[in-house]
Amino acid sequence: MLVKTKAIVISSLKFQEKSLIVKCFTLSNGLKSYFVRDAFSSRKASQKIAYFQPLSILEIEAVHKNKGTLENFKEIKNGIPFQTIHTDIVKSTMVMFLSEILHYSIQEEEKNESLFLFLETALTWLDNHDEISNFHLILLLEITKYLGFYPDVSEINLPHFEMNDGIFTFSHGGNVLSEHETNLLKKLIDLKFDNNQKVFHVLERQVLLKILIDYYSFHLEGFKRPKSLEVLKEIFS
């Protein structure tokens, strides 16, 4: 089946000497993996490989056989030509980290149009702004809305947050955040991308990042700690 759709690049893996396997989150079909033959061998190799940087947004025409095998691109265009995301060291580190998160979070070949449109809007915002210290934290929390485990805020005034059930509670036990940690999470829940990016200091961001990664681990089977996490911490230290 010939499909025309937008696609967000989640990962690309070199295959043998000249080819790539590219995993994309598509608007039309959810997660798809593609085989790019001779990605490293043509004169325009560098141009071709540039399409597949983490979280690039593409417009693709592809043949989808839907047999659980690798699909094939027929045509690739730059959907949104980012100006800063892949050249700014902070932004590029951030998208590398977020692409790893998405790699372990979006696991099914199921259409999720609302998640796609949210990511497209968020990445466009990132490309156009410089004050981005909390971007990854807000994004990680917002993504849980689309994956089905956003915190239940109906009792948000209670002093502790329970990670397994995603609820606020009076009790303080094994998988329950301290009152200080819970207050940081409450503050994050209220944040939007355009809010003051200096609302947290460095150590508070590190605490929140650990909370969010632990929260993903509780709710997503097979979720792994991103390899780029330490690089991200270094950038924001």
Side-chain angles (χ1 to χ4, degrees), residues 84 88 91 124-132 193-194:
T84 64
D88 180 292
K91 293 183 181 181
T124 303
W125 185 94
L126 177 65
D127 192 51
N128 289 299
H129 291 79
D130 296 321
E131 296 296 324
I132 59 165
F193 291 132
D194 284 320

Side-chain angles (χ1 to χ4, degrees), residues 186-225:
K186 288 178 182 180
K187 193 183 289 189
L188 180 62
I189 285 171
D190 287 335
L191 277 190
K192 305 298 179 193
F193 291 132
D194 284 320
N195 289 146
N196 177 14
Q197 293 286 318
K198 296 177 181 177
V199 66
F200 300 118
H201 59 64
V202 172
L203 291 179
E204 288 176 330
R205 286 195 196 96
Q206 290 180 1
V207 170
L208 277 167
L209 190 54
K210 182 183 184 305
I211 288 169
L212 289 165
I213 288 174
D214 288 346
Y215 190 52
Y216 272 64
S217 299
F218 278 119
H219 291 271
L220 293 175
E221 188 176 346
F223 182 82
K224 296 180 181 178
R225 179 187 174 92

Side-chain angles (χ1 to χ4, degrees), residues 2 11 15 24 41 62 67 83 101-102 120 156 190 199 236-237:
L2 189 62
S11 65
F15 179 74
C24 291
S41 62
K67 294 181 179 179
Q83 302 301 312
I101 292 283
L102 292 169
E120 182 181 44
I156 198 170
D190 287 335
V199 66
F236 281 106
S237 63

